[in-house]
Amino acid sequence: MNTAIEFQHVTKGFKGASYNAVNDVSLSINEGEFITILGSSGSGKTTLLKMTNRLYDPDSGNIILFGENIRDVDKVLVRRRIGYAIQQVGLLPHMTVAQNIAIVPKLLKWDKKRIEARAHELLELVGLEPKEFSSRYPAQLSGGQQQRIGLARALAADPKIMLLDEPFGAIDAINRLNLQDELKRIHGGLKKTFLFVTHDINEALKLGTRVVVMNEGRVCQFDTPENIAKNPADDFVKSLINSCREQEKFWEGLT
């Protein structure tokens, strides 16, 4: 099995903080895995993600993508090879849906026919009818639809790695569950490597083939959802699992 991403003793600090945002993190992620990164605000999960596409550079340590140290690769090239979807979708309001999806393929100088075919294919993939949605503008879409377009745009240049930073954080509960199911289906069909940041333990355990639990810049546990639920590695992970079980008790009490 190919190693897609390797973090080797990666550390990143910011001025004025009482601890490193990411502190000596080492992880090895296989190609095709769906990795969720779980932690509360300030745990370092987004910083770790942003170092993967060189929005930040680590103070020390290395990040290796498919055997290549990203320090040795131009930042722009790194970012064009990686899909990136965030909570604030960031669709350009003056561009249609199809034009938004085409941004990176255009930069890569794909021809017009190929770009159109890719936009059509991706709209179908994210569950939106191309004829209906291609020529719409972002303001004409619901929050859930915008998030789907953001996902399609991130997938446009067919990257091997997808980074998703709380992409469903601002979506209402019903749409969020639907989008989670959709994302699982998409990942299953594409065999890409997904890194998905969330502070929602249910989301992390539902989506991840393996889960990274972070607290104050450190990795507390990196394991399958089943093993994390059965054998929490420390008190912090235990408290997360307990909070999940408390929620379940509430619903059981209503049945």
Side-chain angles (χ1 to χ4, degrees):
M1 201 177 282
N2 287 342
T3 301
I5 308 167
E6 202 171 341
F7 298 94
Q8 301 173 337
H9 301 287
V10 172
T11 294
K12 176 71 178 174
F14 295 104
K15 269 184 186 169
S18 55
Y19 55 85
N20 285 327
V22 170
N23 197 351
D24 194 29
V25 166
S26 293
L27 299 167
S28 188
I29 293 160
N30 297 319
E31 191 172 6
E33 284 198 277
F34 194 135
I35 302 295
T36 50
I37 306 171
L38 172 68
S40 49
S41 192
S43 63
K45 54 194 190 301
T46 291
T47 302
L48 191 67
L49 207 69
K50 285 183 171 178
M51 286 193 285
T52 310
N53 67 352
R54 294 201 64 190
L55 288 170
Y56 297 148
D57 284 326
D59 298 333
S60 61
N62 296 302
I63 300 169
I64 314 293
L65 301 187
F66 293 101
E68 189 172 42
N69 192 326
I70 60 171
R71 280 185 191 277
D72 304 331
V73 184
D74 180 83
K75 288 181 181 185
V76 174
L77 281 179
V78 171
R79 286 174 206 150
R80 284 184 189 168
R81 292 178 192 168
I82 294 173
Y84 188 50
I86 55 174
Q87 185 174 322
Q88 303 78 12
V89 188
L91 298 177
L92 297 172
H94 61 287
M95 287 186 174
T96 64
V97 161
Q99 288 167 338
N100 267 285
I101 293 171
I103 289 170
V104 175
K106 268 191 168 175
L107 288 171
L108 297 173
K109 298 191 166 41
W110 289 17
D111 67 61
K112 198 179 170 191
K113 269 191 175 171
R114 187 182 173 196
I115 289 173
E116 282 173 3
R118 184 68 177 147
H120 191 282
E121 176 191 3
L122 284 166
L123 282 168
E124 287 186 335
L125 184 72
V126 299
L128 296 172
E129 172 54 48
K131 278 182 186 168
E132 189 184 337
F133 286 93
S134 285
S135 55
R136 283 197 193 178
Y137 287 88
Q140 298 169 306
L141 305 172
S142 70
Q145 288 166 346
Q146 286 190 23
Q147 205 62 66
R148 286 168 188 263
I149 302 303
L151 190 59
R153 184 178 61 184
L155 286 162
D158 203 20
K160 289 183 178 179
I161 293 169
M162 281 284 291
L163 307 179
L164 302 115
D165 192 0
E166 305 225 24
F168 309 146
I171 304 290
D172 62 86
I174 293 168
N175 269 314
R176 187 167 180 153
L177 288 174
N178 291 338
L179 285 165
Q180 287 168 1
D181 292 338
E182 201 77 6
L183 192 62
K184 265 193 110 156
R185 178 188 65 77
I186 289 167
H187 175 263
L190 294 178
K191 295 289 173 264
K192 294 183 185 299
T193 308
F194 279 24
L195 258 66
F196 183 105
V197 160
T198 180
H199 63 267
D200 182 326
I201 183 168
N202 290 303
E203 187 165 73
L205 297 177
K206 174 182 175 177
L207 293 176
T209 49
R210 287 194 292 165
V211 181
V212 178
V213 184
M214 291 188 74
N215 186 36
E216 295 192 342
R218 291 186 177 276
V219 172
C220 305
Q221 194 165 357
F222 181 31
D223 212 332
T224 62
E226 295 75 18
N227 284 342
I228 286 173
K230 285 177 188 167
N231 306 300
D234 64 14
D235 288 343
F236 178 74
V237 183
K238 210 175 282 181
S239 71
L240 285 176
I241 298 299
N242 287 342
S243 73
C244 210
R245 295 215 163 106
E246 285 301 317
Q247 287 174 348
E248 278 172 26
K249 275 184 198 166
F250 170 78
W251 293 111
E252 282 165 11
L254 294 178
T255 55

